[in-house]
Amino acid sequence: MNDSTAAFDLASLVAAHDDVNAYEAVVPPIVQTSLFTFSSYAEMEQTYKGLKVRPTYSRGLNPTVRIFEEKVAAMEGAEDGLAFGSGMAAISSTVITFVKPGDRVVCVRHVYPDAYRLFETLLSRYGVSVTYVDGRDEAAVEAALPGATLFYMESPTSWTMETHDVQSLAAMAKRHGVITAIDNSWASPVFQQPIKLGVDLVLHSASKYLGGHSDVVAGVVVGSKEMIGRIRSGTLPYLGGKLSPFDAWLLIRGLRTLPIRMKAHEAAALHVARRLLDHDAVASVEHPGLGNQLPAGLSGTSGLFSFTFREGAVDIAKFTDALSLFKIGVSWGGHESLVVPAQVVRVQAAGPNSAIDFGVSANMVRLHVGLEGADALWNDLAAAIDSARLA
Ligand SMILES: Cc1ncc(COP(=O)(O)O)c(C=O)c1O
């Protein structure tokens, strides 16, 4: 982590918005209710006329969910936030709010595969087209933007870990009057705050680092009051992908340790990535922190990265099975270390096979480096490579 992130007082923001007048409890209550009753006809009428803001039904407003939304908005430096029952619910509701038939979306290549499938299968059915660009090629982005409605970003990208100059891309989109949205799940607000880089809407799979314990599936979007208001009133009530109060409570708990977890993921992943880079069985390591300098706006790196074995060096199935601390599984962002061999996701039966479309080679392996300890994790990987060597 560099000095600017260390100086950022994230801890005080994480502590914000807990005062819900509940017996002065240090932890806010789980308001586990579907509906809220009114004391009188007059109060109900005032609420429906919009003269009084108070919860009516938890699909709209729930106090525990609201605390989570306000915390994430504060951490990202945004005016407002809205939470969902999954990251994909946040992504789909946001995108659908801002596009209509005939519109065009520009999307950086190699985004999270289910976001790509949303664009390829659902948006195309409703007459919205998508242009994919290499986000590192600013001339290509500039050429694609005129006439587009929305520019969808992810930096670093899934699997291939391509990083972009988010500030420069956001400024470019602004010049062309194009709304910008970014998936910030990988960096978390600890390492990247895209609102401050000029992006309009910041999305998270809160199932990842925000939750941090692999016990919740959730999503959130933050942005200006006006834009979040459009999603809140124009899309969420009808698509209905609302976060539950109990899951919001777990996420609030997760947020309290986000800064220290991110520092621990960063240190352990960098240790493992550097050791892999030096290993003779490894052809390349796709980790944004291994170059001389991080891209502008990214102040640190998280625990997720990929590496590629030299062709014929290792039996990848045997390597995977020989690991003991790294569990075999998708998702990431929790306390635990995980491994995904690319050759398995490349044979996925359903949907467009984006792993191949995205140039993910069969020799690639994705790791999530958890909190078990860098030395123990490296020893686990080194022993598994040794036991699976072919050449
Ligand atoms: C980068 C990224 N964005 C979005 C998502 C989708 O989030 P969720 O699984 O919470 O719907 C994922 C899930 O793996 C992801 O890796």
Side-chain angles (χ1 to χ4, degrees), residues 85-89 91 111-115 152 154 156 158 183 185-186 204-208 216-219 304 330-332 366:
S86 73
M88 279 313 301
I91 293 168
V111 290
Y112 172 61
D114 278 344
Y152 185 90
E154 189 179 317
S158 289
D183 183 332
S185 311
W186 185 92
H204 283 276
S205 167
S207 328
K208 310 297 187 276
V216 181
V217 174
L304 186 77
V330 295
S331 197
W332 46 274
R366 193 183 77 179

Side-chain angles (χ1 to χ4, degrees), residues 291-307:
N292 291 334
Q293 212 184 330
L294 288 176
L298 184 66
S299 61
T301 55
S302 69
L304 186 77
F305 68 96
S306 310
F307 70 95

